Amino acid sequence: MQKKSKTDISRRKFSKEIFSGIVSYALLDSLLATRALARSVSPIVDHWSIRLNEYCKDLKVDSITMAEWQQQVEALFQVINLDELSNFIDFKNLQMSMALPFSGVKTRKVEFPRLTGLPKKTNFIKKLTGMRKSTSINPHGHSNLASAHLVLKGELHVRNFDRVVSETDYMVVQPTLDETMAPGQASSISDEKDNVHWFIANTNSCFTFDVVMLNLGGRAYNIHYLDMLESKSMGDDLLRVPIIDYGTAVTKYGKIAPH
């Protein structure tokens, strides 16, 4: 048998070390790639839609108040990337399929894509609302309902009011918000805070992403249409506003001249 030289042994040792190093590097690279993939996937577990559904679930079982829900959802809306949201709900195709009326608004149900951690049936109603310029979401208040509205496109004149007293024929309200909102800005209402709202589109088209919770507290929701243009001042920033039927509200407020 031929005796191996020290040079052959050294070369074999060197090759073994190199091979071991390559394997170790490949393993390390694989582990790093796996961790990088985990990092890219893990944020999905905390996707905004999952958090939104959890907030709505908390409200549904009364583990948070309506006002707390409003605060949480509005805070979430502030950090949502609008491009991501638009892609997530297929906003481009949705708006193209909506023929906006010349009076009143058009709504369309929103579907979320399947996502790990997000149930197919969410704890809230999700919809898209579209309006032409000067058309309006009639001024109205709610009972046993909470909703939040994020502007996706256009400019929206938003007025909110607190309900102070509610009777059969009228409601006493106090103005809380009178603001022009652009994409990324949001408004919310509930029985506890800013119960009445009134939206008017300022641009050729305006769209909002809406989150709605119905029948809160185990009681059926109701809508109270208000004739805000006939409100009477009661002093101390209070307004006495007649309650009107839906038909009258649509006729008078479906399209309104800017003022």
Side-chain angles (χ1 to χ4, degrees), residues 53-54 56-58 60 119 121-125 212-213:
N53 191 59
E54 288 299 317
C56 292
K57 181 181 178 181
D58 289 342
K60 196 173 184 178
K121 184 177 181 181
T122 58
N123 287 293
F124 58 95
I125 294 171
V212 184
M213 296 287 292

Side-chain angles (χ1 to χ4, degrees), residues 156-207:
L156 193 65
H157 185 182
V158 178
R159 295 183 181 92
N160 285 351
F161 307 82
D162 266 336
R163 177 179 58 193
V164 179
V165 175
S166 186
E167 299 292 346
T168 303
D169 300 322
Y170 70 90
M171 188 180 292
V172 176
V173 301
Q174 185 173 38
T176 56
L177 179 71
D178 189 341
E179 185 176 321
T180 297
M181 292 191 174
Q185 293 181 283
S187 170
S188 66
I189 69 165
S190 77
D191 284 286
E192 295 180 2
K193 182 178 180 293
D194 296 340
N195 181 261
V196 174
H197 56 182
W198 180 15
F199 297 163
I200 300 175
N202 285 349
T203 48
N204 289 337
S205 64
C206 185
F207 291 87

Side-chain angles (χ1 to χ4, degrees), residues 51-145:
R51 279 187 282 163
L52 177 59
N53 191 59
E54 288 299 317
Y55 295 156
C56 292
K57 181 181 178 181
D58 289 342
L59 178 60
K60 196 173 184 178
V61 298
D62 294 325
S63 65
I64 60 174
T65 67
M66 293 184 188
E68 287 171 338
W69 178 85
Q70 289 177 259
Q71 185 180 32
Q72 290 178 343
V73 173
E74 286 198 40
L76 180 61
F77 279 173
Q78 293 304 308
V79 298
I80 288 177
N81 180 284
L82 290 188
D83 289 335
E84 178 193 343
L85 170 58
S86 296
N87 290 333
F88 193 72
I89 68 172
D90 197 18
F91 173 54
K92 182 178 180 180
N93 287 326
L94 274 178
Q95 66 168 321
M96 289 176 62
S97 69
M98 295 171 67
L100 301 182
F102 290 93
S103 179
V105 303
K106 183 78 171 181
T107 62
R108 183 63 59 86
K109 182 180 179 182
V110 168
E111 296 287 351
F112 283 173
R114 297 303 299 271
L115 190 65
T116 301
L118 181 68
K120 185 175 181 180
K121 184 177 181 181
T122 58
N123 287 293
F124 58 95
I125 294 171
K126 43 196 181 293
K127 61 188 178 73
L128 186 70
T129 297
M131 295 170 275
R132 288 180 182 267
K133 187 173 183 178
S134 298
T135 59
S136 166
I137 293 180
N138 309 325
H140 63 279
H142 294 282
S143 296
N144 313 317
L145 181 150

